[in-house]
Amino acid sequence: MAYELPPLPYDYAALEPFIDAETMHLHHDKHHQAYINNVNAALANHPDLAAKSADDLLRDLNAVPEDIRTTVRNNGGGHSNHSAFWLLMGKPGTPGIGGEPTGAIGKQISSDFGDFEAFKKTFNETTAKQFGSGWGWLVFTGGKLKVITTANQDSPLSHGLYPILGNDVWEHAYYLKYQNRRPEYLAAWWNVVNWAEVNKRFEKAKA
Ligand code: MN3
C-alpha cells in the first residue's frame, strides 16, 4: 500500500510566530509530499517492501534492493523524519507545549545534561554545526541521552537508534523567516516542542 501524507495535527498557522504558516504549507504540502511520491514510485514494483512501514525499511536498508536503496534512504527517510517532526510540535502557549520538559524525559535530561538550559545549549550548538542539510536528534543509547546529527534525510533508525526528539535544519524548514540565521531558528523552536510526544517517544526508545 502506498504511503500517504499524514495531515498536520494543527493549523498551518498554529506554530506562529516561531514557524510561519507559509513555511508550514511548503514544508508539509510540498516537501513532505515529494518524499512520499518518490518513495512510492521506488516501491511500486516491490509490494513486499511497500507493505512495511518506512521506519521498518530504514531499520534494515540492506534488505532493500540496491537499485532503490538510496531513494528509500533519502525519501523514505524524509517521510519518516517529517511524520515524527509534525507530531513533535504544537501550538505555543498551550499546556505541554514549549517551556520546561515534563515527565520522565524532564528527569532524564536533568540527570544526563545537568539542566534544561545545558541540554538546549548542547542540542542547539551541535545541530547548528551540521554542515549543509540534515537533522539534530536526541537519542537514548547505553542508558543515556545523547545529541547526534545526521546528514540529508538519514534516520537514526538506520543506526539502531530511535529518535526521541528531532529538529529539521534543512533550509526549507526555516529560510523564509530566519534566512541564514539557523541558530536563531534553533533557539526559537523550543517554544513549539510537544513534551507529551517527546515522552511517548522516550518510552519507545527505552523499550
Ligand atoms: Mn524538512
Side-chain angles (χ1 to χ4, degrees), residues 74-93:
N74 290 338
N75 293 277
H79 177 36
S80 167
N81 294 341
H82 288 84
S83 297
F85 186 56
W86 311 131
L87 298 177
L88 281 164
M89 301 186 289
K91 189 175 173 56

Side-chain angles (χ1 to χ4, degrees), residues 3 35-36 38-39 54-55 57-58 70-82 153 155:
Y3 300 133
Y35 297 125
I36 291 171
N38 291 338
V39 71
D55 284 12
L57 295 182
L58 296 164
T70 301
T71 302
V72 169
R73 174 175 164 182
N74 290 338
N75 293 277
H79 177 36
S80 167
N81 294 341
H82 288 84
Q153 295 295 348
S155 169

Side-chain angles (χ1 to χ4, degrees), residues 5 8 12 24-34:
L5 183 67
L8 282 182
Y12 289 91
M24 290 302 288
H25 271 288
L26 290 167
H27 200 177
H28 176 268
D29 303 357
K30 305 295 181 189
H31 290 276
H32 189 170
Q33 183 68 62

Side-chain angles (χ1 to χ4, degrees), residues 122-155:
T122 299
F123 189 96
N124 291 354
E125 286 179 2
T126 304
T127 305
K129 279 188 266 186
Q130 166 61 34
F131 184 75
S133 296
W135 290 74
W137 304 103
L138 179 66
V139 297
F140 190 66
T141 177
K144 276 190 168 230
L145 295 170
K146 191 176 173 193
V147 174
I148 63 166
T149 61
T150 59
N152 306 316
Q153 295 295 348
D154 288 357
S155 169

